[in-house]
mmCIF file of all heavy atoms in Angstrom:
data_model
loop_
_atom_site.group_PDB
_atom_site.id
_atom_site.type_symbol
_atom_site.label_atom_id
_atom_site.label_comp_id
_atom_site.label_asym_id
_atom_site.label_seq_id
_atom_site.Cartn_x
_atom_site.Cartn_y
_atom_site.Cartn_z
ATOM 1 N N VAL D 615 18.702 -8.307 -1.314
ATOM 2 C CA VAL D 615 17.400 -8.808 -1.619
ATOM 3 C C VAL D 615 16.652 -8.999 -0.289
ATOM 4 O O VAL D 615 17.042 -9.692 0.622
ATOM 5 C CB VAL D 615 17.504 -10.229 -2.330
ATOM 6 C CG1 VAL D 615 16.062 -10.787 -2.565
ATOM 7 C CG2 VAL D 615 18.175 -9.996 -3.634
ATOM 8 N N ILE D 616 15.497 -8.333 -0.236
ATOM 9 C CA ILE D 616 14.625 -8.345 0.938
ATOM 10 C C ILE D 616 13.383 -9.177 0.602
ATOM 11 O O ILE D 616 12.632 -8.831 -0.325
ATOM 12 C CB ILE D 616 14.202 -6.987 1.420
ATOM 13 C CG1 ILE D 616 15.455 -6.061 1.621
ATOM 14 C CG2 ILE D 616 13.395 -7.099 2.728
ATOM 15 C CD1 ILE D 616 15.058 -4.611 1.920
ATOM 16 N N GLY D 617 13.210 -10.254 1.319
ATOM 17 C CA GLY D 617 11.946 -11.106 1.181
ATOM 18 C C GLY D 617 10.962 -10.552 2.174
ATOM 19 O O GLY D 617 11.131 -10.673 3.337
ATOM 20 N N SER D 618 9.836 -10.065 1.585
ATOM 21 C CA SER D 618 8.706 -9.586 2.414
ATOM 22 C C SER D 618 7.503 -10.419 2.244
ATOM 23 O O SER D 618 6.910 -10.443 1.127
ATOM 24 C CB SER D 618 8.393 -8.101 2.089
ATOM 25 O OG SER D 618 7.283 -7.654 2.775
ATOM 26 N N SER D 619 7.142 -11.203 3.178
ATOM 27 C CA SER D 619 5.936 -12.084 3.093
ATOM 28 C C SER D 619 5.376 -12.133 4.486
ATOM 29 O O SER D 619 5.978 -12.712 5.454
ATOM 30 C CB SER D 619 6.353 -13.455 2.617
ATOM 31 O OG SER D 619 5.307 -14.397 2.760
ATOM 32 N N PHE D 631 13.647 -15.562 -3.138
ATOM 33 C CA PHE D 631 14.506 -15.554 -1.997
ATOM 34 C C PHE D 631 15.539 -16.761 -2.098
ATOM 35 O O PHE D 631 16.719 -16.554 -1.819
ATOM 36 C CB PHE D 631 13.695 -15.708 -0.685
ATOM 37 C CG PHE D 631 14.395 -15.175 0.514
ATOM 38 C CD1 PHE D 631 14.583 -13.808 0.699
ATOM 39 C CD2 PHE D 631 14.838 -16.082 1.505
ATOM 40 C CE1 PHE D 631 15.232 -13.304 1.869
ATOM 41 C CE2 PHE D 631 15.452 -15.548 2.627
ATOM 42 C CZ PHE D 631 15.662 -14.158 2.826
ATOM 43 N N LEU D 641 20.918 -11.060 2.125
ATOM 44 C CA LEU D 641 19.532 -11.250 2.276
ATOM 45 C C LEU D 641 18.976 -10.697 3.616
ATOM 46 O O LEU D 641 19.703 -10.679 4.613
ATOM 47 C CB LEU D 641 19.082 -12.683 2.174
ATOM 48 C CG LEU D 641 19.543 -13.542 0.958
ATOM 49 C CD1 LEU D 641 19.298 -14.996 1.131
ATOM 50 C CD2 LEU D 641 18.745 -12.993 -0.223
ATOM 51 N N VAL D 642 17.725 -10.243 3.630
ATOM 52 C CA VAL D 642 16.965 -9.919 4.795
ATOM 53 C C VAL D 642 15.555 -10.380 4.609
ATOM 54 O O VAL D 642 15.038 -10.303 3.563
ATOM 55 C CB VAL D 642 16.948 -8.391 5.110
ATOM 56 C CG1 VAL D 642 16.206 -8.092 6.414
ATOM 57 C CG2 VAL D 642 18.350 -7.814 5.194
ATOM 58 N N ALA D 643 14.919 -10.947 5.679
ATOM 59 C CA ALA D 643 13.620 -11.430 5.634
ATOM 60 C C ALA D 643 12.729 -10.610 6.563
ATOM 61 O O ALA D 643 13.113 -10.307 7.712
ATOM 62 C CB ALA D 643 13.567 -12.923 6.062
ATOM 63 N N VAL D 644 11.510 -10.366 6.082
ATOM 64 C CA VAL D 644 10.480 -9.663 6.890
ATOM 65 C C VAL D 644 9.221 -10.542 6.846
ATOM 66 O O VAL D 644 8.647 -10.763 5.835
ATOM 67 C CB VAL D 644 10.184 -8.234 6.319
ATOM 68 C CG1 VAL D 644 9.086 -7.609 7.142
ATOM 69 C CG2 VAL D 644 11.410 -7.376 6.278
ATOM 70 N N THR D 645 8.790 -11.057 8.031
ATOM 71 C CA THR D 645 7.740 -12.013 8.073
ATOM 72 C C THR D 645 7.272 -12.308 9.475
ATOM 73 O O THR D 645 7.901 -11.842 10.446
ATOM 74 C CB THR D 645 8.208 -13.387 7.436
ATOM 75 O OG1 THR D 645 7.138 -14.221 7.288
ATOM 76 C CG2 THR D 645 9.330 -13.979 8.240
ATOM 77 N N LEU D 650 9.913 -18.740 5.193
ATOM 78 C CA LEU D 650 10.817 -17.620 5.011
ATOM 79 C C LEU D 650 11.658 -17.432 6.351
ATOM 80 O O LEU D 650 12.871 -17.252 6.277
ATOM 81 C CB LEU D 650 10.028 -16.352 4.696
ATOM 82 C CG LEU D 650 10.847 -15.127 4.347
ATOM 83 C CD1 LEU D 650 11.813 -15.385 3.139
ATOM 84 C CD2 LEU D 650 9.940 -13.916 4.053
ATOM 85 N N ALA D 651 10.976 -17.511 7.450
ATOM 86 C CA ALA D 651 11.699 -17.365 8.788
ATOM 87 C C ALA D 651 12.582 -18.554 8.995
ATOM 88 O O ALA D 651 13.713 -18.417 9.514
ATOM 89 C CB ALA D 651 10.654 -17.239 9.869
ATOM 90 N N ALA D 654 15.693 -18.112 6.905
ATOM 91 C CA ALA D 654 16.536 -17.064 7.468
ATOM 92 C C ALA D 654 17.325 -17.620 8.628
ATOM 93 O O ALA D 654 18.548 -17.362 8.758
ATOM 94 C CB ALA D 654 15.657 -15.914 7.973
ATOM 95 N N VAL D 659 20.433 -15.490 8.093
ATOM 96 C CA VAL D 659 20.051 -14.302 7.429
ATOM 97 C C VAL D 659 19.403 -13.318 8.454
ATOM 98 O O VAL D 659 18.555 -13.856 9.239
ATOM 99 C CB VAL D 659 19.112 -14.620 6.254
ATOM 100 C CG1 VAL D 659 18.384 -13.369 5.736
ATOM 101 C CG2 VAL D 659 19.869 -15.296 5.146
ATOM 102 N N PRO D 660 19.637 -12.037 8.396
ATOM 103 C CA PRO D 660 18.949 -11.142 9.330
ATOM 104 C C PRO D 660 17.403 -11.230 9.120
ATOM 105 O O PRO D 660 16.893 -11.309 7.976
ATOM 106 C CB PRO D 660 19.429 -9.727 8.925
ATOM 107 C CG PRO D 660 20.803 -10.011 8.332
ATOM 108 C CD PRO D 660 20.706 -11.341 7.687
ATOM 109 N N LEU D 661 16.683 -11.297 10.236
ATOM 110 C CA LEU D 661 15.233 -11.543 10.187
ATOM 111 C C LEU D 661 14.550 -10.427 10.999
ATOM 112 O O LEU D 661 14.928 -10.197 12.166
ATOM 113 C CB LEU D 661 14.953 -12.883 10.797
ATOM 114 C CG LEU D 661 13.474 -13.191 11.068
ATOM 115 C CD1 LEU D 661 12.605 -13.239 9.831
ATOM 116 C CD2 LEU D 661 13.337 -14.516 11.834
ATOM 117 N N VAL D 662 13.588 -9.760 10.423
ATOM 118 C CA VAL D 662 12.713 -8.877 11.136
ATOM 119 C C VAL D 662 11.316 -9.587 11.225
ATOM 120 O O VAL D 662 10.705 -9.808 10.233
ATOM 121 C CB VAL D 662 12.483 -7.558 10.384
ATOM 122 C CG1 VAL D 662 11.558 -6.667 11.144
ATOM 123 C CG2 VAL D 662 13.829 -6.766 10.217
ATOM 124 N N SER D 663 11.050 -10.071 12.490
ATOM 125 C CA SER D 663 9.871 -10.828 12.703
ATOM 126 C C SER D 663 8.911 -10.127 13.618
ATOM 127 O O SER D 663 9.393 -9.465 14.581
ATOM 128 C CB SER D 663 10.310 -12.172 13.349
ATOM 129 O OG SER D 663 9.122 -13.034 13.598
ATOM 130 N N ILE D 684 15.004 -1.231 7.425
ATOM 131 C CA ILE D 684 16.115 -1.948 6.670
ATOM 132 C C ILE D 684 16.786 -0.977 5.712
ATOM 133 O O ILE D 684 18.043 -0.984 5.598
ATOM 134 C CB ILE D 684 15.517 -3.174 5.980
ATOM 135 C CG1 ILE D 684 15.028 -4.242 7.016
ATOM 136 C CG2 ILE D 684 16.626 -3.827 5.086
ATOM 137 C CD1 ILE D 684 14.132 -5.271 6.345
#
Side-chain angles (χ1 to χ4, degrees):
V615 175
I616 306 172
S618 175
S619 169
F631 203 72
L641 302 173
V642 181
V644 178
T645 186
L650 188 59
V659 166
L661 169 66
V662 178
S663 179
I684 295 167

